[in-house]
Structure formats: C-alpha cells, structure tokens
Amino acid sequence: MNTDYGPLLTDRYQLTMLQAYWQHGMHGTAVFEFFVRRLPAQRNFLVAAGLDQALAYLEESAFTSDDIEWLAQTQSFQPDFLRWLKDLRFTGNVNAMPEGTVFFAEEPILQVIAPLPEAQIVETRLINLLHFQTAIASKAVRSVLAAPGKLLVEFGLRRAHGAEAALMAARASYLAGFQGTSNVLAGKLFGIPLFGTMAHSFIQAHEDEMTAFEHFADANSRDIVLLIDSYDIEAAAAKVVKLAPTLRERDVRINGVRIDSGDLGRNAAKVRGILDEAGLRDVTIFASGDIDEYGLRELVGNKVPIDGFGIGTRLDTLSDAPYLECAYKLQEYADRPRRKRSEGKASWPGRKQVFRRLDRFDRLASDTLTLSHENEEAEPLLVPVMRDGKRLANPRPLPALREFTASQLSRLPDRLRTLEPSEPFEVAISESVRHCAHALDDRNL
C-alpha cells in the first residue's frame, strides 16, 4: 500500500524549524528515537507495528513542484530555502525492532540517524504511522490471549476514524494474531483473509426470513453464513435446519450462523442445541456485537458454544486506551548526547540499544536499556533496517510477521498475559546511560 501522502502531511513547525536549520547550517548528524514513555494502565506490554509503512514513507517522501509552489504562496518561507527543500530526500540510517516485537516503556522501537533536517522533517508522520498500528496491535493481542483457538475477525471498518485507520487496523490486528478482516481493500492490499456474512437489511428486504436465507445461499454457495437474530433467533435456527437438507441435495452446505445481539452466551447455547439435534454439528456459530477482550474472556471462560467472533468497534476505536504516550526525541546531535529534562517528560540521552534476556523456560526475564556501543550477553532488539535511505531487505510478508508475533507472545511470562495490570516487567537502565544523563544535567544547559 502506498501510504506516502507527501511531506506536507506534517505539522507546520517542522517546516519553520527546517528553515532555521538551513539558514544556520545545522546539518550535523542527529539521532532520534521513537519510544513510549509509560504504558497505559490497561496494558502489561506493547507490540511494535507499522515499521513497513514507516520505511516506505522514508524511501518515497519528496516535495513536488506543486508543494513548493503552494508553500511559496503562504509567504512564510524564503525562496532559497524552498529551492533547497525541493531536493530534500531522506538519506539516513534506521535501526528498529522487527514488527511484532513485544516491548515496554522507555524502550526505543525505532532509531533514525540522519542529517538533522532529514531526521526532523519526518517526525510527525513517523509518529502517526507507528503510534496507531502499535496501539491497535497491542489491543488486538489481548483478544488473542483471551480467546485461544477461536476464530477472530477484525470487523471495525465502519467505526474506524477514517479510511487509513481502517486499513491499518486490519493490518495490525492480523499481525497480532487475528485470522482475518471484513475489510475488502485490506484483503487486496495486504493479502489478509476475508470474512463476512450478511446485514440485517438483507433479511428485512425480503418478505420472509426463509426466502432471504434461500436467496443468499443461491448467490453464495461457497460461503454461507446466515444471520439469525433479525427477528426470533430460535425460529431462525429452525429455518436453517429446514433449509440444510435442500441445500445438501445440491451439494451445498451451510457453513455457519451469526448472532449479533442479546445475551450471546445464552442465545448460542440455544442455537447450538437446535443445530446439534438436527445433526448439523459442523455448522459453526459466529458472534459479533461490541465485543472486546473482556467479553471474550467471560464467554470463553463460561465455555459458550461460539466458534468465532467479529471484533470491531472497541478494537478499531481503542476504546479502553485510545492513545499511547509516545515520543520521537532527539537523543544525540553532532556526536554529543542530548537530553530533554521537562517535568514528567524527561528522556534518557544518547544513541541506545535494548538487550533482552530469557529465563531457563525461554520466557522473558529482563530487558536492559544501554548506550549503543555497550555489549551485553543478551539479544539486541534494535537491528539495522535501512542504510543511506534504502531498505536493507524487502518487506517481510505479513503472514511471516504474524508468526513472529505469535512466537513473541509465547515468551510472555504468565503474569503479563492477563488482562489486569500486573507487576511491571523489569527494564533496567544501564549505569552508562544514567551517567550520561547526570553529566548532561550537571552542565545545566
């Protein structure tokens, strides 16, 4: 998917800062890092996502002649600066955690090393791309952990906050472990399996429910999932039982039924009984209707006979934690570490690395935040992904990223897999990082 809306999709202050950098010759190498300051109260960990789109943006972003002409009309920028801006491209290096990596507060998941103007102008869009998909993936994995073995389908297109958000939500939730989406364009762009049933309007458009079922089956003989809660769920289930033998004579089978309202557990139990009594044990039950991970946990815990779930509104709108407290901060410029000391928003200075240790059960034991030149007997999480403005490898296929995410989740300690807040995971700050921060503080810039 081409997510390059161009460099004008930014905050105005990026351009005014760039003009000052240009005017005063500030083109030294800068190191910026994207990280989350604090986890939301409802999250024990986060899942990195959105790197593919971020790298595509860095490779493709460039000002067009129309962009430059429009900027000139604002009368905010010097003509010589705009001529320089026309040729600006990202030529830097990027290190990052692979998509699907589990991470924690204060750990950089993306590190940009480039001339200061190049690293600065990309700030807004990088945050925009990484923040949303990371937030969605980190929400979606909670459903994956709450309902192991269940079919989970992203259903949130109509409630998402815009078209790009809908597409990125489908991608991030699939990466996190969902099996598919209802979003057709996401299927085309990302190869995500598509799922869907029918709307209540289809039932209401017919004179009776049975005719609606028959018409849908005639037109969709390879994928028949019937919505049965438009009027009376038990009566509709009985109609499914009546229709099934007729379809079987044409070598057509009903794949499933969908329930979208009411007490899902109670209604599913009734429907399952009706279907089983008629010998339709292979007809699955799919449920939707403002379900989130808490509802999933309750339904799965009560062993309700539901085989799959459509998760939409509360996932795509991030209902319980609508944002991450993330930042993209300058950590080094012209070979000197930099540190923000704002109250409640202080950052650890310097170009950094994150090292991860596992316990004897191959579970996460601890992470250490170090300066990049330090060596630890542990796994480094930030790896090279871009050099001189070009990716080092083709984008990894989304199914491969999904498998990697699953392997990351398998390493989570039990306490982090719960939906309730747990004891925080240990992220140690190395002595060298602390010493660097204290040295900068003593300078009292």
Side-chain angles (χ1 to χ4, degrees), residues 253-270:
R253 62 179 295 271
I254 297 173
N255 301 88
V257 296
R258 174 183 162 211
I259 303 171
D260 188 53
S261 60
D263 185 325
L264 296 177
R266 184 181 63 196
N267 288 334
K270 292 178 180 178

Side-chain angles (χ1 to χ4, degrees), residues 391-404:
R391 296 194 215 204
L392 296 179
N394 292 328
R396 292 183 67 188
L398 195 51
L401 294 176
R402 193 166 172 271
E403 290 179 9
F404 177 74

Side-chain angles (χ1 to χ4, degrees), residues 29-33 111-114 329-333 350-351:
T29 299
V31 179
F32 282 80
E33 292 175 346
Q111 182 182 75
V112 173
I113 306 164
K329 293 302 175 186
L330 179 67
Q331 311 291 43
E332 181 182 294
Y333 177 60
R351 189 182 311 197

Side-chain angles (χ1 to χ4, degrees), residues 28-54:
T29 299
V31 179
F32 282 80
E33 292 175 346
F34 176 91
F35 60 96
V36 175
R37 291 191 179 98
R38 282 170 284 273
L39 300 187
Q42 303 89 339
R43 303 287 184 269
N44 293 324
F45 63 91
L46 300 174
V47 175
L51 179 61
D52 183 28
Q53 284 70 40

Side-chain angles (χ1 to χ4, degrees), residues 9 51 118 129 184 193 262 265 271 303 368:
L9 185 60
L51 179 61
E118 297 177 23
L129 290 167
V184 177
V271 171
K303 295 182 170 52
T368 303

Side-chain angles (χ1 to χ4, degrees), residues 5 13-14 33 43 54 76 151 179 203 224 242 326 330 347 351 365 384 416:
Y5 291 91
Y13 78 169
Q14 305 291 0
E33 292 175 346
R43 303 287 184 269
S76 298
L151 172 68
Q179 285 91 337
I203 304 294
I224 303 173
K242 184 177 180 181
C326 59
L330 179 67
S347 61
R351 189 182 311 197
L416 299 183

Side-chain angles (χ1 to χ4, degrees), residues 95-98 101-104 107-109 353-357 364 366-368 378-384 404 408 411:
N95 303 313
M97 292 186 188
T101 300
V102 166
F103 73 100
F104 303 91
E107 298 182 339
I109 68 169
Q353 178 60 272
V354 182
F355 286 97
R356 174 159 295 169
R357 293 175 177 80
L364 274 61
S366 67
D367 287 357
T368 303
E379 177 189 5
L381 299 186
L382 290 169
V383 299
F404 177 74
Q408 289 280 297
R411 291 181 168 185

